[in-house]
Each structure stands twice: as C-alpha cells, then as structure tokens.
Amino acid sequence: MSQKHVKEAFISNLNGTSLLEISLGLSLAPLCLLCRGLLLIFYSLHYGKPLSSRKYSLLLDFLVLVSPLLFSCTVLSPVMFFVPPVIAAFCAGIFSKIYSQRKHKTRVPFRQLVKDFQKTYLDPEHIPAITVFRVYVNVLTSISILAVDFPQYPRRYAKAETYGTGAMDLGVGAFIFGNAVVCPEVRQKSYVTQPKFSNLARQFFSVWPLIVLGIGRLLSVKSIEYHEHTSEYGVHWNFFFTLAFVRLAASLLLAIVPKNNSWIVAVNLAVLYQLILNTTSLKMFILHGSNGRDTRVGFLNANREGLLSLFGYLAIYMASVQVGLWLLKCRNSVKGWIEAVCFLLLTVLVLFVVLHVSQAYADPVSRRMANLSYCIWVVAHCLTFFICFVVTDLTLVFAKLLVKGSSVPCCWNVVKPPNASKKHETEAVPMGGEGKLSYSCLISAINKNQLLFFLLANVMTGIVNVLIDTIHSKTAFTLCILHLYMFLNCLIMHILHAKNIVLKFW
C-alpha cells in the first residue's frame, strides 16, 4: 500500500466512543478556563495588581487553556475519566486559597456573599460564554485534525465511519452550532425593519470566502494526492462548502419564515429527512451508492454524503438560531443567568431522552448522514458545553467579588456593585478592568481572526503530513509536533491581536 492509502485506512472504518466519555470530555475546556481565571485572581490577590505582561499572559494561556487538551487527547486518553476531577480539585484548592486570604475588611458572612452575588448586575451586551464556546470549538477542531493522523490519538475519538459518536463527529456539528448562534439574523436588532431580501443578498456576498477556501482545498488536495476520507463528504465536497451552503440556505429560509419560528423549521426538517431515510432507498444510496457497490461515478454519487447531509446540518443551524435568539434576551443579573442555566439543563435532559428514543426507534447517530439522532445529539451536547462555560463565568464573577480589582479576560463585566446607590443603578461601572487586558487574552486573539485560525490549522496540518511520517511517530515526538503546531498558530493570532489587525475584508 502507498503512504496515501495507509493514512486513509488509518482514519477509516471507526466506530466512535460512548456518550459518557464525550460528555465528560466537554467539561475539560471549561475547567481549564476556570483554572486560568482563578490563577489570575490569585495573582491579583498576592501581588496587588493584575498580570499585565503580554509574554507571560500568552504563556499562561497556552499552558493552561490549550496544553491540557493536547495531553488529554493523546497520552492521557487512557485515564481520561480522571483528568477533569483532578483539574476540578486543583481549581477548588485555588478557590479555597482565594477565599481564605481575601482582605479582612472585605470579609462578610458566606450567606451574605451569596446574596450579594445573586444581585450582581452583569454587562447585558456581551455574553463571554458564547465567545469562549466558539473559540474552543475552533481550538479543539484544530488540535484534532492534526492529532488524528498520529497513533497516540485514540481511534475512538476520530470520526465514525457510518454510525457512532466520535469526538470529531461532534466537532463538525458544533462548528455549525457556533456559527448559527451569532449569525446576522440573531445579532441584527434592526433585522425586522430592514428589507429581508437585502439581508439575503448581503449573506450571499459574505460566504464567498468559504467557497473560495473550499475550491482551494479541493485543488490543493487533488494536486498533491493528499490522503482523504472519501466517505466523510465525498470526492469533491469538503466542510468549507458545507458551511457556505448551509448558511445560504438558512438565510433564504429566514427571509421567508419569522426567525422566532426557526425551531419549528429545524424540527420539521430533521424529522422529514429521517422519515425519507427510513421509508425510501435514500439511506442505502448514501451508504452504498446507486449501484449498491459504493460507486463514485457521477457528481451526485461522488459527493452523496456531503450533498445529502446538508439537510441535517441545516436543521442544526436553524435550531441553533433559536438558541442564539433566546440567549440574547436581556438577562442582566446573576440570578437571571442562574435561572437560564436551570432552564437549559432541563432542555438538555429532554433532548437526551428524545435522543434515546430516536436511537432506539429511528436510527443510531450518524454524522455521515446527519440524521435525526445526530442533530439531537449535536444540539444537546453543544448546549451542555455552553452551560459549562456559563457556570465557569459565574464562578469567576463570584471569585472576582471576593478580590476587588482582580481581572479575568473574556469573563463577564460587573456593571453595578450589589450595594450601589440608586443614582448609579443605570451606570455601567466595569469592575476589574477586563477591557484593559483584552490585548493579552489568547481567547480574544483567536476570536478576532477565527476563520484565519482555522485556515492556518488546515494549512499547517497539510504541511506536517507531507513532511512527516505521522503514523510511525513516537510519543515524545508527537507531543512536540502538536505543541509546536498549536503554539505557532496561537502566536500568530496573539501578534495580530496585539497589533489590532483583523484579516477580514468581506
């Protein structure tokens, strides 16, 4: 077998992992974020000033926010179930130190602290958990697309061939979810007053970079005979095309249907698609081609997975638009967000029950078809991931209240102290100066140039695979390559952010 075929076989015919392992793995990134925030607060408490060095901020962010994820999907994967509890215990120890060492004059009974915390007002214009969710989906995807080519990356985390729940299967849907919750239809408050089809025309123009990137990837992969997993999207299709066409189709639907009814469109689309899969020969066509022997003759046969899975991804997108609209409802207090978390937890519980029924009576989860079970699974896990980040943010807000003047980048701004006088009730009084430190935050840096970050990750992944025999790499060498690859990408984002450069011209 050629090297190309060996690598293709290495990432093919896999079955994924358990829902429990993926759910536990979702807690890792929020715990890393919590650890970083508590370390910064502890630094402020110990030295009396926030960390302001760009160099040390980047190093801290990379070592705490990125490096644990690299270890967890390689050498620590056999003990993955122990990693989140260990990080949680470490965070609990730091929090205990902060609580016990805070200044005597700010010490009040714990019960009063909790009451004041619930009354704390937060900046309603910015929800950090959305930003962090989208950045971490990008980071985890970037890690996985290269790590999957090394033997240290567990095969159970890679994309399942037909049915199954691999970590990378979730990443594809999470990318769609993350784009939808901040789409123009969600963010534009004036959307209802503007001509709908003028917004649609703007969306058609905005997706051209994705189409160009898709064509560029197609040409580069074919020209250098790069290894491909054909049953993922097909012979010519790729994820850039999926992103572009899903966004266009969603914009068209939202120009016709009121955006507040997007969840109805999502449910109908996913259920109807599943009914067609189960009652016609469409499922056999996707899995085995028109001749039943996996033919790739003709454009539709060649790209059947990529083209027909668009229906499932569109359903995920429309459901996510509804989530985005709900999240942007004004909740300007900690108590309001605690209630929102409880509602989201109830929603997730219902979705997992529906997922169980769907897998039992309709079809198991299949990313290849993007069927009903896959849509439910993606939305449920994305909401779980988002809840973890909201809880992390609320915990950091509580810790910041213990240490006045502490700063945590990409964390909620407190805009009104609990005991503020009435004349200051409507004034925004940011506490902790997060805005001043935004330049030194890796999350903010990646957020500014997310598409570039993802593109660089794809390019560097290709370069590494061309230059290195990844399949036969030793553990130490693998870890060095993955860390160097991620650090270089993060460093570029950090430099661009420090110079206030945003490479977006569409």
Side-chain angles (χ1 to χ4, degrees), residues 347-506:
T347 303
V348 168
L349 179 62
V350 171
L351 285 173
F352 274 115
V353 171
V354 176
L355 174 61
H356 178 75
V357 174
S358 177
Q359 292 211 96
Y361 297 101
D363 226 3
V365 172
S366 173
R367 183 259 326 144
R368 187 174 177 181
M369 291 182 281
N371 59 3
L372 175 63
S373 295
Y374 178 77
C375 296
I376 298 168
W377 176 60
V378 166
V379 174
H381 271 81
C382 285
L383 287 177
T384 304
F385 201 32
F386 179 78
I387 289 168
C388 291
F389 283 125
V390 173
V391 172
T392 296
D393 269 345
L394 292 176
T395 305
L396 290 175
V397 168
F398 183 77
K400 286 197 296 180
L401 291 176
L402 296 176
V403 183
K404 305 296 182 184
S406 59
S407 296
V408 180
C410 283
C411 177
W412 254 311
N413 286 334
V414 176
V415 295
K416 189 189 71 132
N419 300 316
S421 59
K422 288 187 177 180
K423 68 177 182 178
H424 292 115
E425 280 186 3
T426 58
E427 293 181 9
V429 187
M431 299 177 63
E434 283 84 348
K436 295 177 182 177
L437 287 181
S438 62
Y439 69 86
S440 62
C441 177
L442 182 58
I443 292 171
S444 297
I446 296 173
N447 184 53
K448 280 284 183 69
N449 286 287
Q450 287 215 48
L451 183 58
L452 177 64
F453 182 83
F454 184 59
L455 178 60
L456 279 175
N458 276 269
V459 171
M460 285 193 276
T461 295
I463 292 172
V464 170
N465 271 281
V466 169
L467 297 178
I468 296 172
D469 179 12
T470 56
I471 294 178
H472 300 101
S473 296
K474 301 296 183 183
T475 301
F477 181 73
T478 297
L479 290 174
C480 287
I481 290 295
L482 290 175
H483 276 84
L484 182 62
Y485 151 78
M486 284 303 297
F487 185 77
L488 182 59
N489 206 344
C490 291
L491 179 62
I492 293 170
M493 297 301 107
H494 179 79
I495 292 171
L496 291 175
H497 190 40
K499 296 181 178 297
N500 199 28
I501 298 173
V502 180
L503 296 180
K504 185 174 180 179
F505 44 87
W506 57 90

Side-chain angles (χ1 to χ4, degrees), residues 205-278:
F205 177 74
S206 68
V207 300
W208 72 262
L210 293 172
I211 295 174
V212 170
L213 290 173
I215 294 171
R217 189 185 192 283
L218 171 63
L219 294 176
S220 60
V221 165
K222 298 301 180 184
S223 63
I224 65 173
E225 294 190 349
Y226 191 75
H227 66 278
E228 299 176 87
H229 189 187
T230 305
S231 64
E232 187 177 348
Y233 296 107
V235 177
H236 312 103
W237 203 262
N238 59 58
F239 188 54
F240 290 111
F241 291 141
T242 294
L243 282 176
F245 280 88
V246 165
R247 186 167 167 182
L248 285 177
S251 296
L252 180 60
L253 285 173
L254 291 168
I256 301 169
V257 180
K259 57 183 179 179
N260 287 320
N261 294 333
S262 57
W263 71 274
I264 299 175
V265 177
V267 171
N268 285 326
L269 193 60
V271 171
L272 181 61
Y273 177 50
Q274 184 63 55
L275 283 173
I276 294 173
L277 285 172
N278 284 2

Side-chain angles (χ1 to χ4, degrees), residues 11 14-18 20-26 28 69-84 140 143-145 147-148 150 152-160 164-172 367 377:
I11 58 175
L14 305 172
N15 298 313
T17 185
S18 66
L20 178 61
E21 185 170 18
I22 290 180
S23 299
L24 186 67
L26 289 178
L28 190 59
L69 305 179
L70 284 167
F71 281 108
S72 296
C73 69
T74 51
V75 292
L76 294 181
S77 57
V79 292
M80 181 60 203
F81 283 87
F82 298 101
V83 176
L140 290 166
I143 291 172
S144 296
I145 60 175
V148 70
F150 290 90
Q152 290 76 18
Y153 188 87
R155 297 301 92 193
R156 66 183 187 276
Y157 291 174
K159 289 176 181 173
T165 51
M168 292 184 72
D169 293 310
L170 178 61
V172 178
R367 183 259 326 144
W377 176 60

